[in-house]
Amino acid sequence: MTFDPAEAHRRNAEPTGASADPPSPTRVAALAPARGEFPSGGVLSPHYRWISIGMCVLIMLTAFEALAVTTIMPTISRELDGASLYAFAFAGPLAISVVGMVLAGAWSDRGNPRNVLFASVALFVVGLLIAGLAPTMGVFVVGRLVHGFGGGAMTVVFYVIVARVYPPVLHPRIFAGFAAAWVIPSLIGPLIAGLVAESVGWRWVFLGVVALVLLAMFMVVPVMRSLHAPGSDIDRPAWNIRRIGWAVLVALAVLAISLSAESSGPVQWIVPVVAVVVAGLALRPLLPPRTLSARRGLPSVILLRGLVAATFFGTEVYIPYMLSSQFGLSPAIAGLALTAAGITWSAASWVQGRFPGISHLASIRVGMGLMAIAIAVSLATALLALDPVIQIIGWAIAGGGMGLMYPRLTVMTLEYSTTSDQGFNSSALSIADSIGSAVALAATAIAFAALQPAGGAWPFAGAFAVTGTICVVALLLGGRVVARRGAAPDTVCVAGGAASHAADPL
C-alpha cells in the first residue's frame, strides 16, 4: 500500500482532499480560473479526457503497487533474506509519505503544481526501479522509502490539479473516478502480482509498473502546460518550516520505532518508548487540539481513524506472510485474502452509502465489531492452525468492517469542519491514517521479532495480539466520536461507489 497500505496503507482518494495541506476553499478560489473560463464538457470531454484518464491510471497503478507489495513481500523477504526488515518495508514508506504530503502541499501553494507532479512521479519511478533491481533487502527498503515519499506527494498534487483544471461542478465526478481507480486493483491486483511473481519473478511487479506510469504521464503532460504558479508573491503563502519540521520529526520517530525491532537488549525497549513520546509531541501541531487525549467530537474522529487504520493494515501485511510460510500457499492463492477484503470493503461502502437510516455511530460500532471478529479469527488461525480458508473468510469480514467505518469517519470530519479548517482537518485525517498504520507496523515488528525464537506461528500470534489490543482501544473510544453537546453528525451518508484500502466512496 502507499498508499501503500498502508495502503493505504497505506494514500486516500476522497473529494475532501484527504491529503496533507490541501488548498483551503479560499485559496482554491484564488488559484482556479473564473467560472466562465473553464472549458465546457464532462470529465471525458476532449479538453479533460486525457488528464482524467492519466490521473486515474496513476492512482490505479499506485493502488496496484500497494496491494502487490503486500502479496509478494513474503517471497521478497525470503529471496533477499530480509525477514528482519519485513515490517519496516511497510512502515517506512508510510512514515516518510507524511513528509512528502506536507512538502507537496506547501510547494503547490507557492509554485506550479506541474513541477510538483513531475518531481513526485520521478521519485515514485526511481523508487520502483531501486526496489525492482535491489540486490539486498536493505536496498529494497531504500527503494520503498523513495517511492513512498513520491507517492505521498503525488496524492496531494492531484487535488491541487483538480482545483485548478476542473470546474467545481465536475469535482464530484473526477473524484468518483479516483475512487473507482482503487476498486479494480483491489479485486485483481493481488492475484496478478502473485502470478507475475510465480512466473517471471517478483522484480517485474515493480519494473512493469514503471512503463505504465510513464505512459500515464504522457496523457497528463499536455494539460499541465496550462497550469501556472500564483500570479504574484502576495498570492503565495510563506513556507511553513515549522510544520515541515514536525512532519520530519514524526517520520524519524516512527522509523526509529520500526528499526528498534532489529536491536537487542534494553535498546529494543528503550528506543520505542522514547520514539513514541517524540512522535506524540511532534504530532500534536499536525492534528486538532486534544486528539491524542480523545476529546469528544472531531478529535476522537481523527484518533479513531488512526486506530482503525492501525488495526487493519497492521494485521493485513502478515496475512499473506502467514498463509505462505505456515500453510505453504503460493503468493497468488495467499493474495485471495486481500481480494476478499477488497470485495467486502467495496460492498459495505456501497451499503452504508445507500441506506441513510444507518447512523454514523452504528456504522462505526458494527464495523469495529466485525474487525474484532476478523482479528480473533487471525489469532485463532495462527495458534490452532485452522484451515486457510477460514483465514480468508475472516479477512473478508475485516474488509466489510472497514467499508462501513472509513466513509463515515470522513464524512464526520467534514461535518465537524468549517470552511476555514476543512484543509487542516482533512490533512489531519490523512496523517492519522499513515502514522497510525506505521506505528502499528512498528509495534507488530517488535512483537514478531521477540517471539521468533519460539518458532512456528507464535510470531504471527504476537503481531495479531498487538493489533487486537489496538482494536479493543478503538472499540472503547468509538462512542466519543459524537460530541456531548450540540448537533452531532448522525445521518449524512456518503453517496456513490466504493473503493478499497485507501479510497472512500463519494
Side-chain angles (χ1 to χ4, degrees), residues 26 55 60 79 88 101 118 181 193 204 214 243 250 260 282 289 303 314 322 340 346 366 470:
T26 302
M55 287 195 296
M60 186 180 297
E79 290 192 11
F88 185 80
M101 292 174 186
F118 292 163
W204 285 102
L214 296 178
R243 183 173 174 81
V250 168
S260 66
L303 178 61
M322 182 178 69
S346 299
V366 172
I470 299 173

Side-chain angles (χ1 to χ4, degrees), residues 1 9 307-317 341-342 345 371 375 395 398-400 402 406 467 500-501:
M1 337 180 34
H9 274 126
L307 294 173
V308 166
T311 301
F312 184 84
F313 298 113
T315 304
E316 185 179 61
V317 299
W345 185 322
M371 185 69 68
I375 301 297
W395 203 238
M402 291 296 280
Y406 245 51
T467 55
S500 172
H501 287 67

